[in-house]
Amino acid sequence: MKYSVKDTSAKTHNIYESDNQVVTHLNLKAGESIPSHNSDMSVVVVIYEGEIIFTEENKDYTIKAGDIITLKPNLSHSLKALEDSKLMVIKSDLK
């Protein structure tokens, strides 16, 4: 199966969803943020455009195009765009 980003102008767009995985395309304009939250699944964040401050458990990381972040389930995290940014968020419950 092939999936693609259909609407790259939307802030969030789920590209693929199943019982144990969700792949989301995320657009953030400079200054926009996603408040602190967590996921009951493992998370991989791939940034492919822009620059983001990624906060995990109150520790800040600056990530930019080409960087990948991995998170274990239930870790609190948030994002703030320093530049217009595009990310792929992959949440998986792999057992």
Side-chain angles (χ1 to χ4, degrees):
M1 268 185 198
K2 182 178 178 183
Y3 297 89
S4 64
V5 177
K6 295 177 184 172
D7 184 0
T8 58
S9 64
K11 186 170 182 175
T12 63
H13 173 75
N14 285 350
I15 299 167
Y16 173 79
E17 290 183 72
S18 70
D19 291 341
N20 63 345
Q21 191 170 57
V22 178
V23 179
T24 302
H25 178 260
L26 182 61
N27 277 318
L28 290 177
K29 299 289 184 195
E32 284 187 319
S33 61
I34 303 290
S36 186
H37 61 284
N38 60 36
S39 171
D40 58 354
M41 296 187 202
S42 296
V43 178
V44 176
V45 178
V46 180
I47 180 169
Y48 54 93
E49 189 176 306
E51 190 170 353
I52 298 278
I53 295 175
F54 188 93
T55 304
E56 175 191 341
E57 298 285 309
N58 297 316
K59 185 168 182 184
D60 291 344
Y61 301 91
T62 300
I63 60 172
K64 51 190 165 187
D67 290 340
I68 297 173
I69 297 281
T70 60
L71 296 167
K72 293 182 180 179
N74 300 311
L75 286 179
S76 176
H77 57 283
S78 62
L79 301 91
K80 182 173 183 180
L82 298 174
E83 303 174 358
D84 290 356
S85 301
K86 295 181 186 227
L87 305 93
M88 189 75 56
V89 179
I90 304 144
K91 296 187 281 188
S92 302
D93 184 16
L94 305 175
K95 295 179 181 178

